[in-house]
Amino acid sequence: MLATSELMLQSRLNESLRQLGYDVVISESAEAVSEALAEGPEALIVDLQSANEPLELIGRARRAAIPVLAYGQHTKANILRQARDSGASLAVPRSEIVDDLPGLLARLSR
């Protein structure tokens, strides 16, 4: 599941994930993400800057034993740290998710 409202990156990640063989559900609102989490996705990928209530979403996913890959601006290390503290399996700068999505997903599934 992909939680972001930024259309350009959303499109790019969606395409990359589909090429890797994943079915992708894109949700922008916290309510829609919560509903989709009930379906038990393989993972939640959350944009810390554009998702609605990202830290709450991370907590919900972790309580449901769903691994979380969070990403955000490299200049906002405090937000990346908060994501890890909230239970994100990985919290990386935005450039890393663009450059190494397959590698990050492999680390996430360990």
Side-chain angles (χ1 to χ4, degrees), residues 42-46 48 54-55 57-59 61-71 80-92 96 103-110:
E42 287 183 58
L44 169 63
I45 300 173
V46 61
L48 296 169
L55 300 179
L57 296 177
I58 291 168
R62 296 306 295 165
R63 286 190 293 279
I66 297 167
V68 177
L69 171 55
Y71 66 93
L80 294 172
R81 187 174 30 264
Q82 288 174 351
R84 284 188 288 276
D85 291 346
S86 294
S89 308
L90 294 172
V92 299
E96 194 171 336
L104 293 169
L105 292 172
R107 288 175 47 199
L108 196 63
S109 64
R110 289 183 197 153

Side-chain angles (χ1 to χ4, degrees), residues 4-6 9 13 18 21 25 40 49 60-62 64 73 77 81 90 92 99 105:
T4 181
S5 61
E6 186 190 339
L9 190 55
L13 292 176
R18 290 187 186 283
V25 174
Q49 272 76 237
R60 288 180 192 169
R62 296 306 295 165
Q73 295 176 355
R81 187 174 30 264
L90 294 172
V92 299
D99 293 340
L105 292 172

Side-chain angles (χ1 to χ4, degrees), residues 6-98:
E6 186 190 339
L7 294 178
M8 186 173 275
L9 190 55
Q10 182 185 91
S11 176
R12 186 170 180 182
L13 292 176
N14 182 32
E15 181 64 26
S16 295
L17 289 164
R18 290 187 186 283
Q19 287 178 358
L20 292 168
Y22 291 94
D23 291 326
V24 180
V25 174
I26 300 172
S27 299
E28 295 179 18
S29 73
E31 182 178 309
V33 173
S34 292
E35 289 175 14
L37 286 174
E39 301 292 321
E42 287 183 58
L44 169 63
I45 300 173
V46 61
D47 181 343
L48 296 169
Q49 272 76 237
S50 74
N52 190 1
E53 302 177 32
L55 300 179
E56 175 63 27
L57 296 177
I58 291 168
R60 288 180 192 169
R62 296 306 295 165
R63 286 190 293 279
I66 297 167
V68 177
L69 171 55
Y71 66 93
Q73 295 176 355
H74 72 280
T75 58
K76 298 194 176 188
N78 61 324
I79 293 177
L80 294 172
R81 187 174 30 264
Q82 288 174 351
R84 284 188 288 276
D85 291 346
S86 294
S89 308
L90 294 172
V92 299
R94 174 191 200 103
S95 60
E96 194 171 336
I97 199 163
V98 170

